[in-house]
Amino acid sequence: MADAYLADTLDPRTIVMTVRQDVHSAGIPVLCQSCEARHRGICGALDPDQLVGLAKTSSKHTVEPGSELMGDAETVDSYSNVLSGVVKLTKSLSDGRQQIVALQFAPDFLGRPFKVESVINAEAATAVSLCSFPRASVERMMRESPDLEHRLLKQTLNELDDARDWMVTLGRKTAAEKVASFLLMIARNIDPTLDPNTNPTSFELPLTRADIADFLGLTIETVSRQLTRLRTDGVIRIDNNRHVTVDSLARLASRSGA
Amino acid sequence: MADAYLADTLDPRTIVMTVRQDVHSAGIPVLCQSCEARHRGICGALDPDQLVGLAKTSSKHTVEPGSELMGDAETVDSYSNVLSGVVKLTKSLSDGRQQIVALQFAPDFLGRPFKVESVINAEAATAVSLCSFPRASVERMMRESPDLEHRLLKQTLNELDDARDWMVTLGRKTAAEKVASFLLMIARNIDPTLDPNTNPTSFELPLTRADIADFLGLTIETVSRQLTRLRTDGVIRIDNNRHVTVDSLARLASRSGA
DNA sequence: CAAAGGCTTTGACCGAAATCAAGGTATCGG
DNA sequence: CCGATACCTTGATTTCGGTCAAAGCCTTTG
């Protein structure tokens, strides 16, 4: 039996796509053991024929940072569930200015059905593990399974809400509010069960200062200065540049511009 | 037979919802004569029982500018197709700062299925005509018709792409680029068949300077100055504050930051 | 027609964030 | 351990867009 890859944890800034090889022996629940718990609808909707197809095309890809995972069907012909880690979706202007337009956390679905012209790059921001499916199988599944499409619609609507919320941040908030909003957003996504009254809270920042700047429409220096200000004001503590402790989420929220 | 309202053209900044009254006699194609051509999937999926329900609940609503059409299910309990005109979707911060997060042109579908907490206001930017359906009917339709859900997924994916494109504009473009991008976007949406080589092109601006500012994350004054600059540089002409003539779309595009 | 009010333009000035420029700090390979 | 490298912080200065203020223009209304 072939080696079974699943949920490998990889070096940051590299996305490796893995598909479990032993689909035949294990059946649907084993195909995607990790995401089965969270993506029952997406993984569970595969039928045996599709699993055979998956087994044939499964392979371990390594994709260089910055290369397109989405928006270019030829590059990487697959859809994935994010099992752990953070994937950043970016768009760039011709002169190199970049904007991160979304962060994908587990258990988000990564891929753009019904491809359109829009070019988005997907890049691993941290160590990322993915469970991938061939594009063709997913698209067939979608045609055959209204339930899958329903789940996808719900995720897409949520992503649309997130995007529009972030538009307010980009268009109307000050640098200080942007950075506070960012920290809150990360805290909530890293631990979705987070109770706003649980203090203190701490987490690892999944992004570099440069990434944060690209997400907030700021420069590295401004991000750094605002983080310093939050630190000297006693709102947060930062250890090793990445580990953030928030004493009072409410205090942070009050600086986020509501 | 009841009076048949359809596709009324209304005063700017007022949304009036209309549902044709004579559904019984006319059947599905008549329910929504105007949008039938463009929204076949959404309107055509209604079954006769639902039409009866529609007839009972149909009425002519007038909604004040700034009041919530979406995000508050109790306020206006319906979904609509935009038949003509432009609807702006806005989000606000607690202190009143506002951001327009999307513009809806015909034949967009207006409404948020599977309501989430996100609060978005919808307001008519110009004279707008709408074809509306009771919320309950649309949600039942969606449960019963995978085709409707498929169409909705496609529109939602397109809106997500638009939102993410605009995030780049908000986060990374200069004021001059933002205004040029806005004019291009309007030109393309008002006439989707627009050939980029057809010059000159002219259209009515659907937004006031204040709205444009709220869409671009700028102030009124900055928008005005940038429009003046485009005018003095000979890129556009503006008559009566609203009628814009673009001599060369390519020249405008070159200022939009790509 | 005249007055009023809303929208737009323009000008002068200001300030938040960008840019430019050093340094400092953590991590990794040898 | 040490040097190299990438990432981060801090300071000085500049600049783009915001703020404040005033005037022009267009439409509405009596």
Short mmCIF file of all heavy atoms in Angstrom, two decimals, chain B residues 195-227:
data_model
loop_
_atom_site.label_atom_id
_atom_site.label_comp_id
_atom_site.label_asym_id
_atom_site.label_seq_id
_atom_site.Cartn_x
_atom_site.Cartn_y
_atom_site.Cartn_z
N ASP B 195 -16.97 48.27 -25.29
CA ASP B 195 -15.71 47.90 -25.90
C ASP B 195 -14.65 48.92 -25.46
O ASP B 195 -14.84 50.12 -25.63
CB ASP B 195 -15.88 47.93 -27.44
CG ASP B 195 -14.58 47.62 -28.15
OD1 ASP B 195 -13.52 47.59 -27.51
OD2 ASP B 195 -14.66 47.40 -29.37
N PRO B 196 -13.56 48.44 -24.87
CA PRO B 196 -12.54 49.36 -24.37
C PRO B 196 -11.94 50.25 -25.45
O PRO B 196 -11.26 51.24 -25.14
CB PRO B 196 -11.46 48.42 -23.81
CG PRO B 196 -12.13 47.12 -23.63
CD PRO B 196 -13.23 47.05 -24.64
N ASN B 197 -12.21 49.90 -26.69
CA ASN B 197 -11.65 50.72 -27.78
C ASN B 197 -12.63 51.76 -28.32
O ASN B 197 -12.28 52.55 -29.18
CB ASN B 197 -11.19 49.81 -28.93
CG ASN B 197 -10.12 48.86 -28.47
OD1 ASN B 197 -9.19 49.26 -27.76
ND2 ASN B 197 -10.26 47.59 -28.84
N THR B 198 -13.87 51.67 -27.83
CA THR B 198 -14.86 52.64 -28.28
C THR B 198 -14.62 53.96 -27.57
O THR B 198 -14.79 54.06 -26.36
CB THR B 198 -16.29 52.15 -27.95
OG1 THR B 198 -16.47 50.85 -28.49
CG2 THR B 198 -17.32 53.11 -28.52
N ASN B 199 -14.25 54.96 -28.29
CA ASN B 199 -14.01 56.26 -27.70
C ASN B 199 -14.68 57.33 -28.55
O ASN B 199 -14.72 57.19 -29.76
CB ASN B 199 -12.50 56.54 -27.62
CG ASN B 199 -11.81 55.57 -26.69
OD1 ASN B 199 -12.20 55.42 -25.56
ND2 ASN B 199 -10.79 54.91 -27.19
N PRO B 200 -15.16 58.42 -27.97
CA PRO B 200 -15.30 58.60 -26.54
C PRO B 200 -16.51 57.85 -25.99
O PRO B 200 -17.37 57.45 -26.74
CB PRO B 200 -15.49 60.10 -26.40
CG PRO B 200 -16.13 60.50 -27.68
CD PRO B 200 -15.62 59.56 -28.73
N THR B 201 -16.53 57.69 -24.67
CA THR B 201 -17.66 57.06 -23.98
C THR B 201 -18.23 58.07 -23.00
O THR B 201 -17.48 58.80 -22.38
CB THR B 201 -17.15 55.85 -23.17
OG1 THR B 201 -16.35 55.03 -24.00
CG2 THR B 201 -18.32 55.05 -22.62
N SER B 202 -19.54 58.07 -22.85
CA SER B 202 -20.07 58.97 -21.83
C SER B 202 -21.19 58.33 -21.04
O SER B 202 -21.86 57.41 -21.51
CB SER B 202 -20.49 60.30 -22.44
OG SER B 202 -21.74 60.16 -23.06
N PHE B 203 -21.36 58.78 -19.82
CA PHE B 203 -22.34 58.18 -18.92
C PHE B 203 -22.66 59.17 -17.80
O PHE B 203 -21.92 60.14 -17.59
CB PHE B 203 -21.78 56.88 -18.32
CG PHE B 203 -20.43 57.02 -17.69
CD1 PHE B 203 -20.30 57.39 -16.36
CD2 PHE B 203 -19.28 56.79 -18.44
CE1 PHE B 203 -19.05 57.52 -15.78
CE2 PHE B 203 -18.02 56.93 -17.86
CZ PHE B 203 -17.89 57.29 -16.54
N GLU B 204 -23.77 58.87 -17.10
CA GLU B 204 -24.14 59.67 -15.93
C GLU B 204 -23.51 59.06 -14.69
O GLU B 204 -23.64 57.86 -14.46
CB GLU B 204 -25.66 59.68 -15.76
CG GLU B 204 -26.43 60.37 -16.88
CD GLU B 204 -26.14 61.87 -16.91
OE1 GLU B 204 -26.17 62.50 -15.83
OE2 GLU B 204 -25.89 62.38 -18.01
N LEU B 205 -22.89 59.87 -13.88
CA LEU B 205 -22.37 59.38 -12.60
C LEU B 205 -23.55 59.04 -11.70
O LEU B 205 -24.39 59.89 -11.44
CB LEU B 205 -21.54 60.45 -11.91
CG LEU B 205 -20.08 60.59 -12.29
CD1 LEU B 205 -19.43 61.64 -11.39
CD2 LEU B 205 -19.36 59.27 -12.13
N PRO B 206 -23.63 57.81 -11.19
CA PRO B 206 -24.75 57.47 -10.32
C PRO B 206 -24.58 57.95 -8.89
O PRO B 206 -25.49 57.83 -8.09
CB PRO B 206 -24.79 55.94 -10.38
CG PRO B 206 -23.40 55.54 -10.70
CD PRO B 206 -22.77 56.66 -11.49
N LEU B 207 -23.43 58.50 -8.56
CA LEU B 207 -23.16 58.88 -7.17
C LEU B 207 -22.79 60.35 -7.05
O LEU B 207 -22.22 60.94 -7.97
CB LEU B 207 -21.98 58.05 -6.62
CG LEU B 207 -22.06 56.54 -6.61
CD1 LEU B 207 -20.85 55.96 -5.89
CD2 LEU B 207 -23.33 56.06 -5.94
N THR B 208 -23.10 60.91 -5.91
CA THR B 208 -22.64 62.26 -5.57
C THR B 208 -21.16 62.19 -5.21
O THR B 208 -20.61 61.11 -4.99
CB THR B 208 -23.38 62.80 -4.34
OG1 THR B 208 -23.07 61.97 -3.23
CG2 THR B 208 -24.90 62.79 -4.56
N ARG B 209 -20.54 63.35 -5.07
CA ARG B 209 -19.13 63.37 -4.66
C ARG B 209 -18.97 62.74 -3.28
O ARG B 209 -17.97 62.07 -2.99
CB ARG B 209 -18.60 64.80 -4.63
CG ARG B 209 -18.71 65.55 -5.94
CD ARG B 209 -17.83 65.00 -7.02
NE ARG B 209 -17.84 65.86 -8.20
CZ ARG B 209 -18.69 65.73 -9.21
NH1 ARG B 209 -19.59 64.76 -9.21
NH2 ARG B 209 -18.64 66.56 -10.24
N ALA B 210 -19.95 62.96 -2.42
CA ALA B 210 -19.88 62.37 -1.07
C ALA B 210 -19.90 60.85 -1.15
O ALA B 210 -19.16 60.17 -0.43
CB ALA B 210 -21.03 62.89 -0.21
N ASP B 211 -20.76 60.32 -2.02
CA ASP B 211 -20.81 58.86 -2.18
C ASP B 211 -19.51 58.33 -2.76
O ASP B 211 -19.00 57.29 -2.33
CB ASP B 211 -21.97 58.47 -3.11
CG ASP B 211 -23.32 58.56 -2.40
OD1 ASP B 211 -23.36 58.50 -1.16
OD2 ASP B 211 -24.34 58.67 -3.11
N ILE B 212 -19.00 59.03 -3.75
CA ILE B 212 -17.74 58.59 -4.35
C ILE B 212 -16.65 58.55 -3.29
O ILE B 212 -15.87 57.60 -3.20
CB ILE B 212 -17.32 59.52 -5.52
CG1 ILE B 212 -18.39 59.50 -6.61
CG2 ILE B 212 -15.97 59.12 -6.09
CD1 ILE B 212 -18.16 60.52 -7.72
N ALA B 213 -16.62 59.59 -2.45
CA ALA B 213 -15.64 59.63 -1.37
C ALA B 213 -15.82 58.43 -0.44
O ALA B 213 -14.84 57.77 -0.06
CB ALA B 213 -15.76 60.93 -0.59
N ASP B 214 -17.06 58.13 -0.09
CA ASP B 214 -17.31 56.99 0.80
C ASP B 214 -16.97 55.66 0.14
O ASP B 214 -16.69 54.68 0.81
CB ASP B 214 -18.78 56.96 1.23
CG ASP B 214 -19.06 57.94 2.36
OD1 ASP B 214 -18.10 58.45 2.95
OD2 ASP B 214 -20.25 58.19 2.63
N PHE B 215 -17.02 55.61 -1.16
CA PHE B 215 -16.67 54.38 -1.85
C PHE B 215 -15.16 54.23 -1.94
O PHE B 215 -14.64 53.12 -1.92
CB PHE B 215 -17.28 54.41 -3.25
CG PHE B 215 -17.32 53.09 -3.95
CD1 PHE B 215 -17.54 51.91 -3.25
CD2 PHE B 215 -17.14 53.01 -5.31
CE1 PHE B 215 -17.57 50.68 -3.89
CE2 PHE B 215 -17.18 51.80 -5.97
CZ PHE B 215 -17.39 50.63 -5.26
N LEU B 216 -14.45 55.35 -2.03
CA LEU B 216 -13.01 55.31 -2.27
C LEU B 216 -12.18 55.48 -1.00
O LEU B 216 -10.95 55.40 -1.05
CB LEU B 216 -12.62 56.40 -3.27
CG LEU B 216 -13.18 56.24 -4.68
CD1 LEU B 216 -12.90 57.48 -5.52
CD2 LEU B 216 -12.56 55.01 -5.34
N GLY B 217 -12.84 55.72 0.13
CA GLY B 217 -12.08 55.97 1.35
C GLY B 217 -11.34 57.29 1.30
O GLY B 217 -10.21 57.40 1.77
N LEU B 218 -11.98 58.30 0.71
CA LEU B 218 -11.37 59.62 0.59
C LEU B 218 -12.35 60.66 1.15
O LEU B 218 -13.41 60.30 1.65
CB LEU B 218 -11.08 59.95 -0.88
CG LEU B 218 -10.11 59.03 -1.64
CD1 LEU B 218 -10.09 59.37 -3.11
CD2 LEU B 218 -8.70 59.17 -1.05
N THR B 219 -11.97 61.93 1.07
CA THR B 219 -12.91 63.00 1.42
C THR B 219 -13.49 63.59 0.13
O THR B 219 -12.93 63.42 -0.96
CB THR B 219 -12.20 64.14 2.18
OG1 THR B 219 -11.17 64.65 1.34
CG2 THR B 219 -11.61 63.64 3.48
N ILE B 220 -14.61 64.31 0.30
CA ILE B 220 -15.24 64.98 -0.83
C ILE B 220 -14.24 65.87 -1.55
O ILE B 220 -14.17 65.88 -2.78
CB ILE B 220 -16.39 65.86 -0.32
CG1 ILE B 220 -17.46 65.01 0.37
CG2 ILE B 220 -17.01 66.64 -1.46
CD1 ILE B 220 -18.58 65.86 0.95
N GLU B 221 -13.48 66.64 -0.78
CA GLU B 221 -12.56 67.60 -1.38
C GLU B 221 -11.51 66.92 -2.25
O GLU B 221 -11.19 67.39 -3.35
CB GLU B 221 -11.86 68.42 -0.29
CG GLU B 221 -12.79 69.32 0.52
CD GLU B 221 -13.30 68.64 1.78
OE1 GLU B 221 -13.50 67.40 1.76
OE2 GLU B 221 -13.51 69.35 2.78
N THR B 222 -10.99 65.81 -1.75
CA THR B 222 -9.97 65.10 -2.53
C THR B 222 -10.56 64.55 -3.82
O THR B 222 -9.94 64.63 -4.89
CB THR B 222 -9.34 63.97 -1.69
OG1 THR B 222 -8.74 64.54 -0.54
CG2 THR B 222 -8.29 63.22 -2.48
N VAL B 223 -11.76 64.00 -3.74
CA VAL B 223 -12.42 63.51 -4.95
C VAL B 223 -12.58 64.65 -5.95
O VAL B 223 -12.23 64.52 -7.14
CB VAL B 223 -13.80 62.90 -4.61
CG1 VAL B 223 -14.58 62.61 -5.89
CG2 VAL B 223 -13.64 61.64 -3.78
N SER B 224 -13.06 65.76 -5.45
CA SER B 224 -13.27 66.91 -6.34
C SER B 224 -11.97 67.35 -7.00
O SER B 224 -11.91 67.59 -8.21
CB SER B 224 -13.88 68.06 -5.53
OG SER B 224 -14.07 69.19 -6.35
N ARG B 225 -10.93 67.45 -6.21
CA ARG B 225 -9.63 67.87 -6.76
C ARG B 225 -9.13 66.90 -7.82
O ARG B 225 -8.59 67.31 -8.85
CB ARG B 225 -8.61 67.98 -5.64
CG ARG B 225 -8.69 69.28 -4.88
CD ARG B 225 -7.54 69.41 -3.89
NE ARG B 225 -7.99 69.26 -2.52
CZ ARG B 225 -8.38 70.27 -1.75
NH1 ARG B 225 -8.37 71.50 -2.21
NH2 ARG B 225 -8.79 70.05 -0.52
N GLN B 226 -9.29 65.62 -7.58
CA GLN B 226 -8.80 64.63 -8.55
C GLN B 226 -9.63 64.67 -9.83
O GLN B 226 -9.08 64.51 -10.93
CB GLN B 226 -8.81 63.22 -7.95
CG GLN B 226 -7.86 63.05 -6.77
CD GLN B 226 -6.41 63.36 -7.11
OE1 GLN B 226 -5.99 63.23 -8.27
NE2 GLN B 226 -5.65 63.79 -6.12
N LEU B 227 -10.93 64.90 -9.70
CA LEU B 227 -11.75 65.03 -10.91
C LEU B 227 -11.34 66.27 -11.69
O LEU B 227 -11.25 66.24 -12.92
CB LEU B 227 -13.24 65.10 -10.52
CG LEU B 227 -13.86 63.78 -10.07
CD1 LEU B 227 -15.29 64.01 -9.56
CD2 LEU B 227 -13.87 62.76 -11.21
#
